[in-house]
Amino acid sequence: MSLENVIAENTQAINNLAELIRQAMHMTPPTAPAPVTPQAAPDNGIHVPPKPAPVPENPPFVAPAPAPQAVAQPAPAPEAPVDYETLRKALMQKVMQLFSQSMEVGKQILSSFGAKKLSDVPDDKLVAFAASVDKALAGV
């Protein structure tokens, strides 16, 4: 048996399995009671084997429908520009409160932003710094 034949047989088996799975996914449970099988005829010594169930012909492979395209989410509304000077002034009281409660925590937060004092914190990191200070004040 050549490799091409084996590949073709395996491809056909996979296609058959995919079709069976598709059919099984659309099946509904039976609502009527199962049919009653008739009584077997009395044995007269002649054995007649039952007819095998007809095997359905394999349908051709149909590629699955493409997945629906993701709907583009609208871009969030641009935030209002941050006034860093006002934010620094508002943070001054919080930083002083944090240092009065825990000098170590205050130093850790400042050093994590690469600063030794509030004015050394870069503007682009100021909002994150404010969140860290608020979190530390809530936990201290």
Side-chain angles (χ1 to χ4, degrees):
M1 185 176 280
S2 71
L3 182 59
E4 289 84 14
N5 290 343
V6 172
I7 291 172
E9 287 178 6
N10 285 343
T11 302
Q12 184 63 38
I14 290 172
N15 290 342
N16 293 342
L17 181 59
E19 181 59 31
L20 287 173
I21 291 171
R22 275 193 289 278
Q23 290 174 1
M25 290 175 65
H26 296 291
M27 287 183 160
T28 57
T31 55
V36 178
T37 57
Q39 292 283 338
D43 188 12
N44 58 5
I46 301 174
H47 175 69
V48 180
K51 287 186 178 180
V55 178
E57 195 171 308
N58 295 328
F61 175 73
V62 177
Q69 296 293 327
V71 177
Q73 296 293 330
E79 296 180 16
V82 178
D83 182 8
Y84 294 110
E85 282 304 311
T86 306
L87 184 57
R88 282 187 202 282
K89 289 177 184 174
L91 276 174
M92 185 56 73
Q93 290 296 331
K94 290 182 180 182
V95 171
M96 290 173 60
Q97 179 184 358
L98 178 63
F99 271 88
S100 68
Q101 290 179 357
S102 174
M103 180 78 69
E104 245 346 272
V105 173
K107 286 181 182 180
Q108 284 178 338
I109 292 175
L110 277 171
S111 65
S112 70
F113 286 90
K116 292 187 179 186
K117 55 186 177 181
L118 178 59
S119 60
D120 293 342
V121 177
D123 286 349
D124 59 332
K125 296 182 181 180
L126 199 58
V127 174
F129 177 77
S132 296
V133 169
D134 288 341
K135 185 177 176 183
L137 284 172
V140 174

